Amino acid sequence: MEQYIIKGGKPLVGEVTIGGAKNAALGVIAAAIMTDEPVKLHNLPDISDVDILLKGIEALGAVVERPNVHEARMMGGSITTCIASYDDLRKIRGSYYLCGAMLGKYKRAEVPLPGGCNIGSRPIDQHIKGFEALGAKVVIQHGMIIAEAEKLVGAHIYFDCSSVGATINVMMAACMAEGQTVLENAAKEPHVVEVANFLNSLGANIKGAGTDVIRISGVSSLHGSTYSIIPDQIEAGTFMLAAAATRGDVLIKNVIPKHLEAVSAKLVEIGAEVEEFDDAVRVVASKRLVHTNIKTLPYPGFPTDMQQVMATVLCIAEGTSIVTETIYENRFMYVDELTRMGASMRVVEGNSAVIEGVDKLTGAIVRALDLRCGAALVVAGLMADGYTTVEHIEYVERGYEKFVNKMCELGAAIEKVDSEDAKAIQKFKLRVG
Ligand code: EPZ
């Protein structure tokens, strides 16, 4: 089994370039099949979730060419079925975007119920509510979401909660419905805006993405496009927090600073310095960080996907911090893993955790339980005294391109090894001392 081995205590110093946004790429890739004409996508992140979704689209009959790992050329015109049968689609969350895309274009879709990180129940009732409001009949059978409609007619839809996935999915279906659709209480995340911008580049007519009211005028067909994916604000935030946690000095390049405002504000609050440039941010921390309180909220609030890494940084900050998770009901499973490393953190009342800052963490063998937990444990290892082994790193590699390479370029002592390869582990320990 592959694992990361880390020798902590070295500050991260240097420059890192951020890749394309995972959660935007998955929506854009699914939307790309809504036209029969060629679509060229650039700046895709080289991660397994993207590969799985592209393979699932190829299995529908679409032409998918990969000139390189960051590009895809797609042709939805050769799709021969609306049944997404590629088995791996069940493993990723973004596969459900094929439902909105195929329902919009073909008025029929059969897609596996989505997988994704085990951080809560993650229902899809709001997706179904939106599809049914547009006139579709939706049933769940044999682990598949089956949606079909004689025709889709625009509707006024009020989401019961701010849902990124439901907003993107229903927006895709609505952009090829007849007439006007209004989405109220829509999610405002950057990747919602990105998918709307991409759909508009195909000839859709979507206004208001990024606000909580999105207005869509349905069109009968969409044309081809060439599009480049925005930088990943969660990857960027992870490196920002890792720089601060290791008392480093890192320039994080190819970012949209506005998307990072919540993380930047919290970093300044705990004593790090954050300097913003047009498409980069520099994070410097030279002294011990101090406590703060975190409450995750839909964008532009503090992102839930940054909660685990932020809490990890607070484990060695001076004072007591409180972290409240309002988006998912089970996103504190990583606390037990941090406790193995000497963190003093306890979950209270289910959606809050209290952290008493300790002087240092100590290296240990820990397990990645989901994507962002894995990233948090890597940051913990970078901060800790001694060696840390992070197991089940396949979670991390779902969402972070070349994570180890990028960390090594910043001076981190980290390597991906096979747990059976004692020699490689010994060599690493000899190399880093
Ligand atoms: C997307 O998940 C992201 N994943 C998640 O990132 C991210 O945490 C989340 O948005 C929130 O920002 C992808 O884009 C692939 P939601 P999604 O629908 O769309 C409830 C990562 O680490 N809800 O906004 O599934 C739901 O249970 C991943 O990259 C309903 O109740 O998130 C959750 O509590 C983790 N009914 C909340 O809304 C629904 O029909 C937010 O879910 C849909 C959602």
Side-chain angles (χ1 to χ4, degrees), residues 18-26 29 42-51 54 66 68-71 229-230 232 235 397-402 406:
I18 299 304
K22 165 178 93 81
N23 295 341
L26 296 173
I29 288 169
H42 299 281
N43 200 37
L44 291 174
D46 179 18
I47 54 175
S48 55
D49 272 22
V50 164
D51 294 340
L54 286 170
R66 301 297 305 272
N68 61 64
V69 292
H70 296 125
E71 273 186 55
I229 303 294
I230 52 167
D232 191 318
E235 183 193 14
E397 311 225 322
R398 276 187 50 206
Y400 289 91
E401 176 179 340
K402 294 191 176 53
K406 291 184 176 183

mmCIF file of all heavy atoms in Angstrom, residues 18-26 29 42-51 54 66 68-71 229-230 232 235 397-402 406:
data_model
loop_
_atom_site.group_PDB
_atom_site.id
_atom_site.type_symbol
_atom_site.label_atom_id
_atom_site.label_comp_id
_atom_site.label_asym_id
_atom_site.label_seq_id
_atom_site.Cartn_x
_atom_site.Cartn_y
_atom_site.Cartn_z
ATOM 1 N N ILE A 18 -0.374 26.751 -8.542
ATOM 2 C CA ILE A 18 -1.630 26.039 -8.289
ATOM 3 C C ILE A 18 -2.233 25.550 -9.604
ATOM 4 O O ILE A 18 -2.166 26.239 -10.630
ATOM 5 C CB ILE A 18 -2.611 26.963 -7.531
ATOM 6 C CG1 ILE A 18 -2.010 27.374 -6.174
ATOM 7 C CG2 ILE A 18 -3.983 26.309 -7.343
ATOM 8 C CD1 ILE A 18 -1.608 26.224 -5.270
ATOM 9 N N GLY A 19 -2.840 24.374 -9.555
ATOM 10 C CA GLY A 19 -3.444 23.776 -10.753
ATOM 11 C C GLY A 19 -4.914 24.143 -10.894
ATOM 12 O O GLY A 19 -5.462 24.929 -10.122
ATOM 13 N N GLY A 20 -5.569 23.539 -11.885
ATOM 14 C CA GLY A 20 -6.979 23.821 -12.146
ATOM 15 C C GLY A 20 -7.861 23.287 -11.030
ATOM 16 O O GLY A 20 -7.513 22.313 -10.353
ATOM 17 N N ALA A 21 -9.007 23.917 -10.846
ATOM 18 C CA ALA A 21 -9.889 23.595 -9.711
ATOM 19 C C ALA A 21 -10.635 22.288 -9.945
ATOM 20 O O ALA A 21 -11.393 22.148 -10.914
ATOM 21 C CB ALA A 21 -10.897 24.731 -9.501
ATOM 22 N N LYS A 22 -10.435 21.337 -9.006
ATOM 23 C CA LYS A 22 -11.089 20.010 -9.120
ATOM 24 C C LYS A 22 -12.599 20.166 -9.229
ATOM 25 O O LYS A 22 -13.228 19.604 -10.124
ATOM 26 C CB LYS A 22 -10.757 19.180 -7.883
ATOM 27 C CG LYS A 22 -11.640 17.953 -7.689
ATOM 28 C CD LYS A 22 -11.265 17.125 -6.482
ATOM 29 C CE LYS A 22 -12.001 17.475 -5.245
ATOM 30 N NZ LYS A 22 -13.346 16.925 -5.084
ATOM 31 N N ASN A 23 -13.185 20.939 -8.325
ATOM 32 C CA ASN A 23 -14.654 20.956 -8.245
ATOM 33 C C ASN A 23 -15.291 21.767 -9.357
ATOM 34 O O ASN A 23 -16.474 21.607 -9.639
ATOM 35 C CB ASN A 23 -15.095 21.442 -6.861
ATOM 36 C CG ASN A 23 -14.666 20.447 -5.784
ATOM 37 O OD1 ASN A 23 -14.368 19.286 -6.091
ATOM 38 N ND2 ASN A 23 -14.609 20.900 -4.549
ATOM 39 N N ALA A 24 -14.472 22.623 -10.015
ATOM 40 C CA ALA A 24 -14.967 23.307 -11.219
ATOM 41 C C ALA A 24 -14.810 22.381 -12.422
ATOM 42 O O ALA A 24 -15.722 22.246 -13.256
ATOM 43 C CB ALA A 24 -14.179 24.592 -11.438
ATOM 44 N N ALA A 25 -13.672 21.699 -12.483
ATOM 45 C CA ALA A 25 -13.379 20.838 -13.632
ATOM 46 C C ALA A 25 -14.439 19.752 -13.792
ATOM 47 O O ALA A 25 -14.890 19.462 -14.910
ATOM 48 C CB ALA A 25 -11.999 20.203 -13.463
ATOM 49 N N LEU A 26 -14.888 19.171 -12.690
ATOM 50 C CA LEU A 26 -15.850 18.071 -12.779
ATOM 51 C C LEU A 26 -17.182 18.551 -13.363
ATOM 52 O O LEU A 26 -17.781 17.906 -14.216
ATOM 53 C CB LEU A 26 -16.058 17.437 -11.404
ATOM 54 C CG LEU A 26 -14.791 16.771 -10.826
ATOM 55 C CD1 LEU A 26 -15.025 16.309 -9.390
ATOM 56 C CD2 LEU A 26 -14.347 15.608 -11.688
ATOM 57 N N ILE A 29 -16.516 19.441 -17.198
ATOM 58 C CA ILE A 29 -16.359 18.222 -18.016
ATOM 59 C C ILE A 29 -17.728 17.598 -18.302
ATOM 60 O O ILE A 29 -18.033 17.234 -19.446
ATOM 61 C CB ILE A 29 -15.432 17.218 -17.308
ATOM 62 C CG1 ILE A 29 -13.979 17.699 -17.337
ATOM 63 C CG2 ILE A 29 -15.538 15.823 -17.945
ATOM 64 C CD1 ILE A 29 -13.049 16.896 -16.445
ATOM 65 N N HIS A 42 -8.725 23.258 -21.125
ATOM 66 C CA HIS A 42 -7.325 23.452 -20.700
ATOM 67 C C HIS A 42 -7.274 23.629 -19.178
ATOM 68 O O HIS A 42 -8.288 23.922 -18.540
ATOM 69 C CB HIS A 42 -6.747 24.710 -21.370
ATOM 70 C CG HIS A 42 -6.738 24.629 -22.864
ATOM 71 N ND1 HIS A 42 -5.782 23.935 -23.577
ATOM 72 C CD2 HIS A 42 -7.609 25.129 -23.787
ATOM 73 C CE1 HIS A 42 -6.041 24.029 -24.880
ATOM 74 N NE2 HIS A 42 -7.141 24.750 -25.035
ATOM 75 N N ASN A 43 -6.059 23.456 -18.639
ATOM 76 C CA ASN A 43 -5.800 23.632 -17.201
ATOM 77 C C ASN A 43 -6.625 22.684 -16.333
ATOM 78 O O ASN A 43 -7.027 23.026 -15.221
ATOM 79 C CB ASN A 43 -6.064 25.096 -16.766
ATOM 80 C CG ASN A 43 -5.346 25.409 -15.449
ATOM 81 O OD1 ASN A 43 -4.233 24.942 -15.216
ATOM 82 N ND2 ASN A 43 -6.001 26.181 -14.595
ATOM 83 N N LEU A 44 -6.868 21.473 -16.863
ATOM 84 C CA LEU A 44 -7.517 20.455 -16.019
ATOM 85 C C LEU A 44 -6.507 19.976 -14.983
ATOM 86 O O LEU A 44 -5.324 19.818 -15.311
ATOM 87 C CB LEU A 44 -7.961 19.269 -16.880
ATOM 88 C CG LEU A 44 -9.106 19.499 -17.872
ATOM 89 C CD1 LEU A 44 -9.305 18.267 -18.749
ATOM 90 C CD2 LEU A 44 -10.395 19.879 -17.148
ATOM 91 N N PRO A 45 -6.922 19.717 -13.750
ATOM 92 C CA PRO A 45 -5.976 19.143 -12.783
ATOM 93 C C PRO A 45 -5.716 17.673 -13.114
ATOM 94 O O PRO A 45 -6.631 16.965 -13.569
ATOM 95 C CB PRO A 45 -6.708 19.281 -11.444
ATOM 96 C CG PRO A 45 -8.159 19.318 -11.798
ATOM 97 C CD PRO A 45 -8.254 19.940 -13.159
ATOM 98 N N ASP A 46 -4.476 17.233 -12.932
ATOM 99 C CA ASP A 46 -4.109 15.835 -13.223
ATOM 100 C C ASP A 46 -4.389 15.003 -11.971
ATOM 101 O O ASP A 46 -3.489 14.724 -11.174
ATOM 102 C CB ASP A 46 -2.610 15.767 -13.592
ATOM 103 C CG ASP A 46 -2.174 14.335 -13.877
ATOM 104 O OD1 ASP A 46 -3.067 13.480 -14.129
ATOM 105 O OD2 ASP A 46 -0.958 14.064 -13.812
ATOM 106 N N ILE A 47 -5.674 14.670 -11.771
ATOM 107 C CA ILE A 47 -6.091 13.934 -10.574
ATOM 108 C C ILE A 47 -7.047 12.802 -10.979
ATOM 109 O O ILE A 47 -7.671 12.852 -12.047
ATOM 110 C CB ILE A 47 -6.818 14.870 -9.566
ATOM 111 C CG1 ILE A 47 -7.973 15.606 -10.248
ATOM 112 C CG2 ILE A 47 -5.832 15.843 -8.938
ATOM 113 C CD1 ILE A 47 -8.813 16.460 -9.318
ATOM 114 N N SER A 48 -7.188 11.819 -10.097
ATOM 115 C CA SER A 48 -7.951 10.630 -10.482
ATOM 116 C C SER A 48 -9.445 10.925 -10.684
ATOM 117 O O SER A 48 -10.077 10.304 -11.545
ATOM 118 C CB SER A 48 -7.770 9.533 -9.425
ATOM 119 O OG SER A 48 -8.130 10.022 -8.142
ATOM 120 N N ASP A 49 -10.008 11.883 -9.957
ATOM 121 C CA ASP A 49 -11.434 12.186 -10.159
ATOM 122 C C ASP A 49 -11.710 12.631 -11.600
ATOM 123 O O ASP A 49 -12.712 12.234 -12.211
ATOM 124 C CB ASP A 49 -11.890 13.302 -9.205
ATOM 125 C CG ASP A 49 -12.352 12.757 -7.859
ATOM 126 O OD1 ASP A 49 -11.944 11.639 -7.509
ATOM 127 O OD2 ASP A 49 -13.121 13.453 -7.174
ATOM 128 N N VAL A 50 -10.806 13.430 -12.156
ATOM 129 C CA VAL A 50 -10.980 13.900 -13.543
ATOM 130 C C VAL A 50 -10.861 12.722 -14.499
ATOM 131 O O VAL A 50 -11.681 12.555 -15.418
ATOM 132 C CB VAL A 50 -9.925 14.985 -13.868
ATOM 133 C CG1 VAL A 50 -9.806 15.218 -15.369
ATOM 134 C CG2 VAL A 50 -10.289 16.297 -13.164
ATOM 135 N N ASP A 51 -9.875 11.871 -14.268
ATOM 136 C CA ASP A 51 -9.692 10.698 -15.152
ATOM 137 C C ASP A 51 -10.933 9.804 -15.145
ATOM 138 O O ASP A 51 -11.395 9.350 -16.191
ATOM 139 C CB ASP A 51 -8.465 9.878 -14.703
ATOM 140 C CG ASP A 51 -7.168 10.647 -14.875
ATOM 141 O OD1 ASP A 51 -7.160 11.622 -15.679
ATOM 142 O OD2 ASP A 51 -6.181 10.330 -14.194
ATOM 143 N N LEU A 54 -13.858 11.433 -17.095
ATOM 144 C CA LEU A 54 -13.603 11.404 -18.545
ATOM 145 C C LEU A 54 -13.783 9.980 -19.086
ATOM 146 O O LEU A 54 -14.354 9.781 -20.165
ATOM 147 C CB LEU A 54 -12.210 11.935 -18.863
ATOM 148 C CG LEU A 54 -12.051 13.458 -18.734
ATOM 149 C CD1 LEU A 54 -10.589 13.856 -18.834
ATOM 150 C CD2 LEU A 54 -12.876 14.202 -19.787
ATOM 151 N N ARG A 66 -6.796 13.066 -24.998
ATOM 152 C CA ARG A 66 -6.001 13.728 -23.970
ATOM 153 C C ARG A 66 -4.642 14.106 -24.561
ATOM 154 O O ARG A 66 -3.664 13.379 -24.416
ATOM 155 C CB ARG A 66 -5.789 12.797 -22.749
ATOM 156 C CG ARG A 66 -7.018 12.301 -22.039
ATOM 157 C CD ARG A 66 -7.864 13.378 -21.415
ATOM 158 N NE ARG A 66 -7.198 14.264 -20.492
ATOM 159 C CZ ARG A 66 -7.063 14.039 -19.178
ATOM 160 N NH1 ARG A 66 -7.483 12.886 -18.670
ATOM 161 N NH2 ARG A 66 -6.501 14.915 -18.384
ATOM 162 N N ASN A 68 -2.566 16.068 -23.467
ATOM 163 C CA ASN A 68 -1.674 15.953 -22.297
ATOM 164 C C ASN A 68 -2.549 15.914 -21.054
ATOM 165 O O ASN A 68 -3.762 16.072 -21.137
ATOM 166 C CB ASN A 68 -0.681 17.146 -22.255
ATOM 167 C CG ASN A 68 -1.413 18.476 -22.138
ATOM 168 O OD1 ASN A 68 -2.083 18.726 -21.146
ATOM 169 N ND2 ASN A 68 -1.319 19.292 -23.170
ATOM 170 N N VAL A 69 -1.932 15.710 -19.899
ATOM 171 C CA VAL A 69 -2.740 15.475 -18.673
ATOM 172 C C VAL A 69 -3.555 16.695 -18.257
ATOM 173 O O VAL A 69 -4.477 16.583 -17.465
ATOM 174 C CB VAL A 69 -1.831 15.043 -17.494
ATOM 175 C CG1 VAL A 69 -1.247 13.668 -17.731
ATOM 176 C CG2 VAL A 69 -0.745 16.059 -17.218
ATOM 177 N N HIS A 70 -3.239 17.855 -18.795
ATOM 178 C CA HIS A 70 -3.977 19.066 -18.397
ATOM 179 C C HIS A 70 -4.981 19.502 -19.453
ATOM 180 O O HIS A 70 -5.608 20.553 -19.332
ATOM 181 C CB HIS A 70 -2.991 20.204 -18.099
ATOM 182 C CG HIS A 70 -2.105 19.900 -16.937
ATOM 183 N ND1 HIS A 70 -0.725 19.943 -17.008
ATOM 184 C CD2 HIS A 70 -2.380 19.477 -15.671
ATOM 185 C CE1 HIS A 70 -0.204 19.588 -15.844
ATOM 186 N NE2 HIS A 70 -1.188 19.304 -15.019
ATOM 187 N N GLU A 71 -5.129 18.681 -20.522
ATOM 188 C CA GLU A 71 -6.058 19.062 -21.588
ATOM 189 C C GLU A 71 -6.993 17.907 -21.920
ATOM 190 O O GLU A 71 -6.641 16.732 -21.715
ATOM 191 C CB GLU A 71 -5.258 19.403 -22.857
ATOM 192 C CG GLU A 71 -4.791 20.838 -22.960
ATOM 193 C CD GLU A 71 -4.148 21.106 -24.314
ATOM 194 O OE1 GLU A 71 -4.796 20.844 -25.354
ATOM 195 O OE2 GLU A 71 -2.983 21.514 -24.306
ATOM 196 N N ILE A 229 -9.820 26.132 -17.141
ATOM 197 C CA ILE A 229 -10.401 26.021 -15.799
ATOM 198 C C ILE A 229 -9.714 26.984 -14.826
ATOM 199 O O ILE A 229 -8.500 27.149 -14.860
ATOM 200 C CB ILE A 229 -10.229 24.571 -15.278
ATOM 201 C CG1 ILE A 229 -10.862 23.572 -16.251
ATOM 202 C CG2 ILE A 229 -10.820 24.398 -13.877
ATOM 203 C CD1 ILE A 229 -12.364 23.654 -16.374
ATOM 204 N N ILE A 230 -10.480 27.573 -13.926
ATOM 205 C CA ILE A 230 -9.922 28.496 -12.910
ATOM 206 C C ILE A 230 -9.010 27.720 -11.948
ATOM 207 O O ILE A 230 -9.149 26.503 -11.796
ATOM 208 C CB ILE A 230 -11.041 29.171 -12.067
ATOM 209 C CG1 ILE A 230 -12.010 28.138 -11.461
ATOM 210 C CG2 ILE A 230 -11.727 30.274 -12.801
ATOM 211 C CD1 ILE A 230 -12.923 28.699 -10.386
ATOM 212 N N ASP A 232 -7.473 26.263 -8.445
ATOM 213 C CA ASP A 232 -8.176 25.569 -7.353
ATOM 214 C C ASP A 232 -7.954 26.308 -6.033
ATOM 215 O O ASP A 232 -6.863 26.274 -5.458
ATOM 216 C CB ASP A 232 -7.645 24.133 -7.240
ATOM 217 C CG ASP A 232 -8.520 23.288 -6.311
ATOM 218 O OD1 ASP A 232 -8.921 23.799 -5.256
ATOM 219 O OD2 ASP A 232 -8.822 22.140 -6.672
ATOM 220 N N GLU A 235 -6.770 23.935 -3.149
ATOM 221 C CA GLU A 235 -5.336 23.595 -3.209
ATOM 222 C C GLU A 235 -4.516 24.799 -2.753
ATOM 223 O O GLU A 235 -3.587 24.673 -1.948
ATOM 224 C CB GLU A 235 -4.926 23.182 -4.618
ATOM 225 C CG GLU A 235 -3.462 22.761 -4.701
ATOM 226 C CD GLU A 235 -2.916 22.639 -6.124
ATOM 227 O OE1 GLU A 235 -3.554 23.118 -7.086
ATOM 228 O OE2 GLU A 235 -1.823 22.046 -6.240
ATOM 229 N N GLU A 397 -4.691 11.806 -3.387
ATOM 230 C CA GLU A 397 -4.318 11.907 -4.804
ATOM 231 C C GLU A 397 -5.544 12.083 -5.695
ATOM 232 O O GLU A 397 -5.442 12.361 -6.882
ATOM 233 C CB GLU A 397 -3.484 10.684 -5.194
ATOM 234 C CG GLU A 397 -2.361 10.453 -4.192
ATOM 235 C CD GLU A 397 -1.011 10.153 -4.774
ATOM 236 O OE1 GLU A 397 -0.974 9.436 -5.786
ATOM 237 O OE2 GLU A 397 -0.017 10.648 -4.242
ATOM 238 N N ARG A 398 -6.749 11.925 -5.081
ATOM 239 C CA ARG A 398 -7.987 12.218 -5.820
ATOM 240 C C ARG A 398 -8.097 13.708 -6.111
ATOM 241 O O ARG A 398 -8.733 14.115 -7.067
ATOM 242 C CB ARG A 398 -9.212 11.835 -4.968
ATOM 243 C CG ARG A 398 -9.639 10.416 -5.008
ATOM 244 C CD ARG A 398 -10.956 10.271 -4.260
ATOM 245 N NE ARG A 398 -11.919 11.268 -4.730
ATOM 246 C CZ ARG A 398 -12.920 11.723 -3.959
ATOM 247 N NH1 ARG A 398 -13.065 11.317 -2.734
ATOM 248 N NH2 ARG A 398 -13.770 12.614 -4.437
ATOM 249 N N GLY A 399 -7.515 14.528 -5.199
ATOM 250 C CA GLY A 399 -7.819 15.952 -5.309
ATOM 251 C C GLY A 399 -6.633 16.879 -5.369
ATOM 252 O O GLY A 399 -6.796 18.084 -5.544
ATOM 253 N N TYR A 400 -5.402 16.326 -5.187
ATOM 254 C CA TYR A 400 -4.218 17.193 -5.214
ATOM 255 C C TYR A 400 -3.239 16.658 -6.254
ATOM 256 O O TYR A 400 -2.719 15.549 -6.105
ATOM 257 C CB TYR A 400 -3.523 17.219 -3.845
ATOM 258 C CG TYR A 400 -4.290 17.977 -2.778
ATOM 259 C CD1 TYR A 400 -5.205 17.329 -1.955
ATOM 260 C CD2 TYR A 400 -4.130 19.347 -2.618
ATOM 261 C CE1 TYR A 400 -5.917 18.020 -0.992
ATOM 262 C CE2 TYR A 400 -4.840 20.055 -1.647
ATOM 263 C CZ TYR A 400 -5.728 19.376 -0.841
ATOM 264 O OH TYR A 400 -6.433 20.059 0.120
ATOM 265 N N GLU A 401 -2.972 17.471 -7.279
ATOM 266 C CA GLU A 401 -2.023 17.043 -8.307
ATOM 267 C C GLU A 401 -0.587 17.189 -7.816
ATOM 268 O O GLU A 401 -0.198 18.243 -7.309
ATOM 269 C CB GLU A 401 -2.204 17.905 -9.571
ATOM 270 C CG GLU A 401 -1.197 17.590 -10.660
ATOM 271 C CD GLU A 401 -1.390 18.413 -11.916
ATOM 272 O OE1 GLU A 401 -2.497 18.958 -12.113
ATOM 273 O OE2 GLU A 401 -0.418 18.524 -12.695
ATOM 274 N N LYS A 402 0.213 16.127 -7.944
ATOM 275 C CA LYS A 402 1.631 16.165 -7.596
ATOM 276 C C LYS A 402 1.884 16.806 -6.229
ATOM 277 O O LYS A 402 2.777 17.654 -6.076
ATOM 278 C CB LYS A 402 2.422 16.910 -8.684
ATOM 279 C CG LYS A 402 2.435 16.186 -10.034
ATOM 280 C CD LYS A 402 3.438 16.802 -10.992
ATOM 281 C CE LYS A 402 3.531 16.034 -12.309
ATOM 282 N NZ LYS A 402 2.190 15.851 -12.939
ATOM 283 N N LYS A 406 5.201 19.008 -5.193
ATOM 284 C CA LYS A 406 5.087 20.444 -4.891
ATOM 285 C C LYS A 406 5.606 20.743 -3.487
ATOM 286 O O LYS A 406 6.289 21.748 -3.260
ATOM 287 C CB LYS A 406 3.632 20.908 -5.043
ATOM 288 C CG LYS A 406 3.136 20.898 -6.498
ATOM 289 C CD LYS A 406 1.726 21.458 -6.622
ATOM 290 C CE LYS A 406 1.285 21.535 -8.085
ATOM 291 N NZ LYS A 406 -0.066 22.151 -8.250
#
